[in-house]
Amino acid sequence: MEITLVLGDITEQRVDAVVNAANSSLLGGGGVDGAIHRRGGPAVLDECRRLRASHYGGGLPTGQAVATTAGELPARWVIHTVGPVYSKTADRSDLLASCYRESLRVADELGVASIAFPAISAGIYGWPMEDAARIAVGTVSVTPALVGDVRFVLFTEDAYTAFGKALASIA
Ligand code: AR6
């Protein structure tokens, strides 16, 4: 597995699968979720609605992942995962790690060769970027997976720097 960092917009990545930092409703929101639904178009939301009706009436649980079409995105699939909201008092790192593990598991089921991850939970859900980066890179690098091309697509210089440090620390 090769891990690379990209400074940019995840909705522009030509990869087999783009990971969405969704919420349990699967019905869209702000941040990367909003951008993916805007660019992916109604086909993504339609499939999310169908998944809710068929499997996730109570919402997709935190730490789990599920795939839909990517609609008009330059990708084949969107893998939606629900990160934990950051807590100062409770350690939710395992749930954040689970987002990366479960996304890679779903990617392997789909036969994905390339995947792009955002910094899950590090925006609206409030996770401190350095910690989010350490968990993201640390988890992906030790998860056995068939996918060969893993990209972290970072939207800000701060995120890019934090992920760069995390990657350097495992090299
Ligand atoms: N490409 C790559 N990264 C992005 C993009 C983009 N187009 N847009 C934002 N980011 P967030 P969360 C970065 O808030 O913290 C939504 O409302 C952003 O700068 O998207 O997991 C959902 O519906 C940050 O570093 O996700 C949930 O309710 C990172 O992506 C909630 O937000 C994650 O920020 C999930 O919050």
Side-chain angles (χ1 to χ4, degrees):
M1 178 196 289
E2 191 187 3
I3 299 178
T4 51
L5 307 184
V6 177
L7 180 60
D9 182 342
I10 203 167
T11 66
E12 290 171 3
Q13 296 298 305
R14 291 188 179 280
V15 281
D16 290 340
V18 165
V19 176
N20 182 19
N23 61 63
S24 67
S25 83
L26 292 175
L27 300 179
V32 78
D33 195 10
I36 283 174
H37 277 280
R38 265 194 307 281
R39 181 91 190 262
V44 180
L45 187 58
D46 281 355
E47 218 176 306
C48 284
R49 286 210 176 98
R50 280 199 293 276
L51 274 170
R52 274 214 60 154
S54 61
H55 289 83
Y56 302 108
L60 180 66
T62 303
Q64 293 192 22
V66 69
T68 66
T69 174
E72 291 164 37
L73 287 160
R76 292 181 69 188
W77 290 282
V78 175
I79 298 175
H80 306 263
T81 189
V82 183
V85 175
Y86 181 69
S87 164
K88 279 187 180 158
T89 51
D91 182 4
R92 298 185 175 154
S93 312
D94 282 353
L95 285 167
L96 184 53
S98 173
C99 289
Y100 290 96
R101 277 195 298 268
E102 287 298 301
S103 296
L104 289 170
R105 189 184 58 72
V106 170
D108 274 0
E109 275 175 18
L110 294 168
V112 159
S114 54
I115 187 168
F117 282 102
I120 299 166
S121 287
I124 292 164
Y125 281 177
W127 214 285
M129 187 57 78
E130 295 222 340
D131 203 36
R134 187 182 53 74
I135 294 165
V137 170
T139 303
V140 168
S141 63
V142 299
T143 301
L146 299 172
V147 52
D149 170 357
V150 177
R151 299 177 205 173
F152 289 104
V153 182
L154 295 324
F155 209 45
T156 63
E157 293 275 357
D158 279 2
Y160 188 79
T161 303
F163 274 71
K165 277 189 197 159
L167 201 52
S169 78
I170 60 155

